[in-house]
Amino acid sequence: MVILITGASHSGKTFLAQRMLEKFKYPYLSIDHLKMGLIRSGKTALTPLDDAALTDYLWPIVREIVMTAIENRQNLIVEGCYIPFDWRRDFDDRYLPSIRFVCLAFSDAYIDKHFAEIKKHASDIESRLDDSDCTIERLKADNRTFREGFEQSGEHILLIESDFLLTVDSLLEEETTR
């Protein structure tokens, strides 16, 4: 089983991946780590701010990692924001049954009510060196982009409207019974 976890920045992707790793003992790949390795090694001239171009650049690599894991009957969690809205078009029926997709998104009301808490937990799993660009307006816009893009592609969105931990725990419980 390969679990793809995506969502806007600060939506809890890495937290969820870490919880899944601990619960299911599946390894996970952070697309951000892949991104920074390629940027820091000079293998690309892209920067961490080139989101759309990074998706185009990284997805073909990630896609092939996913296919290889499935072909080898290996479990893997892949998390990051660089998963295209139409990701399913890259996999045929040999692969799709082995992929579980999760998109985390906050509602605007959740962001309004919990913005300070979101910022407080931004470095719980990984250290954010500079989080100054995370504003309520940007967080809402980014979450809307993910919600709308994946909904238009027919994907289910795990919308966080009230209790983040309860939502994540419910998802983990659901995964346990699959």
Side-chain angles (χ1 to χ4, degrees):
M1 174 63 60
V2 173
I3 303 170
L4 297 178
I5 303 171
T6 195
S9 179
H10 293 78
S11 62
K13 300 178 300 295
T14 307
F15 178 83
L16 176 58
Q18 182 69 34
R19 293 283 295 270
M20 286 184 159
L21 173 139
E22 292 166 2
K23 183 167 182 100
F24 304 119
K25 309 296 186 226
Y26 292 1
Y28 84 83
L29 168 69
S30 166
I31 302 174
D32 278 342
H33 291 174
L34 177 61
K35 168 189 75 176
M36 292 311 298
L38 291 165
I39 290 171
R40 286 179 162 182
S41 68
K43 299 295 181 189
T44 181
L46 296 171
T47 73
L49 301 176
D50 297 323
D51 283 340
L54 281 165
T55 299
D56 292 341
Y57 181 71
L58 294 168
W59 178 245
I61 299 166
V62 172
R63 178 192 66 223
E64 297 304 318
I65 291 170
V66 168
M67 289 175 155
T68 301
I70 293 168
E71 290 163 357
N72 290 322
R73 295 187 178 101
Q74 294 172 306
N75 297 316
L76 180 64
I77 300 162
V78 177
E79 67 87 12
C81 60
Y82 304 106
I83 297 173
F85 300 135
D86 60 350
W87 67 271
R88 285 184 189 271
R89 71 174 162 73
D90 290 331
F91 300 99
D92 62 31
D93 290 340
R94 290 175 294 167
Y95 298 98
L96 285 170
S98 298
I99 301 172
R100 169 82 162 102
F101 176 79
V102 178
C103 179
L104 297 175
F106 295 132
S107 68
D108 285 356
Y110 183 88
I111 294 169
D112 285 335
K113 187 173 182 180
H114 298 278
F115 182 70
E117 186 179 351
I118 293 167
K119 290 278 287 189
K120 181 178 127 189
H121 292 287
S123 291
D124 281 358
I125 305 297
E126 61 185 0
S127 296
R128 293 179 186 271
L129 301 177
D130 180 11
D131 203 27
S132 61
D133 64 339
C134 181
T135 64
I136 285 180
E137 296 77 22
R138 181 159 183 193
L139 198 58
K140 285 181 179 180
D142 289 350
N143 274 268
R144 264 187 244 115
T145 297
F146 274 82
R147 284 193 318 261
E148 292 168 4
F150 282 111
E151 284 172 351
Q152 287 175 3
S153 291
E155 299 293 346
H156 171 73
I157 308 303
L158 186 61
L159 187 62
I160 300 158
E161 299 183 273
S162 59
D163 188 316
F164 175 79
L165 287 176
L166 183 63
T167 303
V168 167
D169 287 343
S170 295
L171 176 67
L172 289 171
E173 193 58 38
E174 179 184 318
E175 287 299 316
T176 302
T177 60
R178 278 183 179 253

